[in-house]
Amino acid sequence: RSTSTGASIMFSHFVVGLAVILLVGLGASAASPPMLQDAPPLLFFDWNASTTLHDSSLELEMMPPIKGDRVVWPTESWETWAVFGYNSVLQLGPQEYRLYYDCIQGTGVPPGIAAGSRATGISHRRICLATSTDGLTWIKPNLGVFNLNGSTSNNILVEDSGVSVFVDTNPAAPATQKFKMACSTSVYASPDGITWTRMSNHTPVKAEDDTKPTAGYDSKLGKYIIYVRRDVKQPLHPGDVRAIGRCETTDFTNWELESPGGCPVVFEPDAMDPDGLDVYTNSWTPYPSAEAPSGHFFFPSFYHHFSSSTPFGFGNDGLLDVRLVVSSDGSNLTYVPGRRNRSPFIPLGINRCGSSASSPSVTGGWCSPTSGIENKTNFDTSAMYVASGFVSSVDGDELYLYASGQPFTHGGDAGNHLWGNNTGIRVLRLRKDGFTSVAAPYGPTLAPDALPALVTREIVVPQGCAPGHVAQNETSCSYEYPNDKCPPTAAAAVCKTDADCHAVLPSDPKLTCLGVEVSCISGVCGTGKPGGDLCVGREYVGGVSIGLNVETSVAGFALVEVQQNGKPVAGMELNNSAPIRGSALYASPSWKGGASLTQLAGSSVSLKIALTDARLFAVRVGCAS
């Protein structure tokens, strides 16, 4: 490179502007246009919701997260039974994360339920708080709000379980009720998410609806949305079956008031599921926000019941793992179409209880509740539950989900409590926007129009982005190019005096090629020797840009065509598109001739995206940086 340090120098460009925010597929509303990384993503979990056409060789796939370490586990006297269960995570700022979690002391019996055959003694299920600045390292702050045996030196908030916390965007909500919390026995309000007040003595979850509500406010409906666990009877499966119900209400303290028969069922086991399978939780997570969701993601724990006699004869016993359920509107829930779409989104941990402990239909065929082995196997061997919500990594490249786990079965002998502190909550790492993807197969090299492709639904191109312009962004020397000549994309720097050559990139006034300082020779900056001309890279910056969240092999690639009314826009055809390779969150396509989406600001376009040996996670359109 042609700098005195041997490193490339990049300009920092600025983009400003006010106009119309892009709402993918929904039109525009008056606001500042979003930068590319903040524009609402077009996600691919439902062909009908995201595309108008797609090649049959393309598949939608769920993308299971990477399991990380436990980040919260029992360390305090009020957590002696377990840290696990029904939790909620919230991000309040760039480095302000909160995890509201079940902290359990005693026997683990849910609030209001007398201890039975599974356990005896006193149980305290409470909501505790952990905080973090990066989503990976969590602390349990001394909050000073809950009196436990005469002391408030703890991180306890309230005595309840099954927590869901959200920031209430209802304009009618007073500042003293900015935060709302729905739990198994009541609902609460808080000005800061730490000091909570019970809103009503009425218990919103009645017999028609079961535990672990997940709640939020829908500004478009002007109502609170609450997903609950329903106990229902259905012709497909015997007995009571648990399902997901959804209530819409203007009264957060009494959400069944408008649904006296219980929240209407929106998802339940179907004919493909075996008997004895419940949808136990819902873990509703609107993404990227509750205010403007591009999709609704649910991470329900599916509970498969053991028989009444095996492996140990406990009642209401079995295992739980986690599936992925999706929805474009929050009301119509389904699996991601494709193979293995009912496979675990998060599988159980490795069973280390012994070679004969993996057949629960056999007497003694699972982790023994009396031998102490539950303290040695993986903490999520027998059950997992995902917290509602997500947070972003500090660098913005990843999403973090959180899953609790337990080594004992659902109805295991809680009274023995031989698992020690082998419960807790682990971080799950996902690529940004990476819940699902479009997967393209490996194939022979074909003409662009013959590659597997999809066509997105219409996207409104935002207005008001800073005007695009050509900027000098990098210098090089002509010896780096064929025939020792600067290419059109990095033309030779022109000059009148030596000072012009030193002003090409003011951050490095002594530019060199082949160790010789450049000067103005015959109107061109160079050294006068072959390969010694100074080349200046030029890039179109600003304006509107497309960003592909994509991953390809070194042999694979993605091409992009912009269409209007089903026809290619001149200059933005597939055969003019430069192949996109590698892994990127916001890869911007380019076309021969330098065509830009900026010229279509304010209009609707569709994108034809051709793929080979690649995964496409999302598409964003916003102001380029």
Side-chain angles (χ1 to χ4, degrees), residues 554-572:
V554 294
F557 56 87
L559 302 174
V560 179
E561 175 178 281
V562 179
Q563 296 185 349
Q564 284 190 312
N565 301 317
K567 297 180 179 180
V569 174
M572 299 185 188

Side-chain angles (χ1 to χ4, degrees), residues 22-70:
L22 166 69
L23 296 177
V24 176
L26 297 177
S29 60
S32 299
M35 301 304 293
L36 184 61
Q37 64 270 25
D38 300 320
L42 178 61
L43 304 172
F44 298 95
F45 55 83
D46 179 343
W47 287 123
N48 293 329
S50 56
T51 66
T52 58
L53 293 170
H54 68 276
D55 189 275
S56 61
S57 66
L58 299 177
E59 289 189 86
L60 292 180
E61 293 183 338
M62 64 178 184
M63 302 299 296
I66 298 172
K67 283 187 176 183
D69 295 332
R70 272 195 307 174

Side-chain angles (χ1 to χ4, degrees), residues 53 262 289 365 474 567 576:
L53 293 170
S289 70
E474 187 178 39
K567 297 180 179 180
N576 274 329

Side-chain angles (χ1 to χ4, degrees), residues 166-173 180 214-227 246-255 257-259 264 284 290-291 296 331:
F166 65 99
V167 176
D168 191 353
T169 56
N170 184 348
K180 294 291 197 303
T214 307
Y217 182 74
D218 189 316
S219 57
K220 293 179 182 177
L221 291 177
K223 292 185 176 183
Y224 295 97
I225 308 299
I226 301 94
Y227 293 91
R246 170 187 161 110
C247 271
E248 300 177 3
T249 182
T250 56
D251 186 353
F252 184 60
T253 68
N254 188 9
W255 60 67
L257 184 65
E258 299 166 50
S259 302
W284 171 48
E291 293 74 32
H296 298 262
S331 296

